[in-house]
Amino acid sequence: MRILIAALALLAHLAPAHADCKAEVDQAFSKLRGSKGFRLETKIINEHQGSLTMTVDYQLPDRMHQRVALGDSPQKMETIAIGSKVWSNQGQGWSEVPANFAEVITKQLKETVAEPSKSTLAYECLGEATFEGKSYLAYKATLPPAADEAVKGDKAKPADAANVQTLYIDKTSGLPVRNVVTKSDSPDKRLFDGTFSTPSDITINAPG
């Protein structure tokens, strides 16, 4: 459950911010929330604990299917949330999550994904930028300590070494495409690399 909660906490910082670029970023995530469903594929690097890959499908307002793999392990841990119910599969079959844990997960799902963000991140408009050979509209923000903890899993870094988030938005669709978090002093070292997409075949049902 800690992986899921940390991931949802981080998502709170991937959404609109109250800054000069709020309108552009807000519009991009509003379009994403308005889609039939969307997917976030992520790789998270922790200097001390290794890496994990995570794929999360969303059908708003209250459906989610998360798959997580640690390091190079072929085994995946899965979580499905529908309404107020949550199920987990840690490799030994599906079981329903106790109501108190399910309430925490579904509340964070609602607050960090389904609803407009209350994040106060200040984004800087970078204009058009080329990333991995493609041109996007780019936005940059410095992550507060709480977001650093969600990425790093340990004590927050000093303010002068805070991590930096760069968000890339498709110029044609206006949808967010990539979200990358790097060290401020090592911009080529990715701590978090997320890719947004809107597959037409996303369907989330209770395990059965």
Side-chain angles (χ1 to χ4, degrees):
M1 292 300 107
R2 290 183 179 179
I3 293 174
L4 174 59
I5 293 172
L8 288 171
L10 182 60
L11 278 172
H13 299 282
L14 308 188
H18 300 288
D20 292 342
C21 299
K22 180 184 185 301
E24 294 94 328
V25 178
D26 180 70
Q27 186 177 30
F29 279 93
S30 179
K31 284 186 176 181
L32 190 66
R33 289 193 301 272
S35 62
K36 181 180 178 181
F38 68 92
R39 175 172 294 157
L40 177 57
E41 298 173 275
T42 303
K43 183 170 185 179
I44 299 175
I45 306 294
N46 184 289
E47 294 176 303
H48 306 293
Q49 300 175 5
S51 64
L52 67 83
T53 55
M54 177 172 60
T55 299
V56 192
D57 290 344
Y58 297 98
Q59 279 186 299
L60 300 184
D62 61 3
R63 292 182 178 234
M64 177 196 72
H65 184 183
Q66 175 187 262
R67 286 142 286 183
V68 175
L70 300 177
D72 297 324
S73 172
Q75 182 177 344
K76 292 184 178 180
M77 297 174 286
E78 297 185 74
T79 304
I80 290 178
I82 298 177
S84 61
K85 293 184 177 295
V86 178
W87 297 264
S88 175
N89 184 349
Q90 305 297 312
Q92 299 178 339
W94 288 99
S95 60
E96 188 169 347
V97 173
N100 57 329
F101 289 108
E103 183 179 1
V104 172
I105 293 169
T106 55
K107 180 180 179 181
Q108 288 206 354
L109 175 61
K110 178 181 178 182
E111 293 178 351
T112 61
V113 182
E115 297 179 348
S117 174
K118 299 179 178 64
S119 170
T120 57
L121 285 180
Y123 282 92
E124 175 187 353
C125 296
L126 301 181
E128 292 192 19
T130 299
F131 178 72
E132 295 184 344
K134 296 182 179 181
S135 180
Y136 301 97
L137 295 176
Y139 303 83
K140 183 173 70 174
T142 299
L143 297 181
D148 283 352
E149 289 177 7
V151 175
K152 286 163 36 59
D154 54 14
K155 293 182 179 179
K157 301 175 69 177
D160 62 353
N163 294 334
V164 175
Q165 173 199 356
T166 306
L167 175 68
Y168 298 93
I169 294 177
D170 185 88
K171 294 188 295 183
T172 301
S173 68
L175 291 169
V177 177
R178 291 291 288 274
N179 181 78
V180 178
V181 176
T182 60
K183 290 176 172 292
S184 60
D185 55 357
S186 300
D188 294 329
K189 188 170 185 177
R190 300 179 192 178
L191 302 177
F192 178 100
D193 188 349
T195 301
F196 294 94
S197 61
T198 54
S200 60
D201 60 347
I202 291 179
T203 302
I204 301 173
N205 297 312

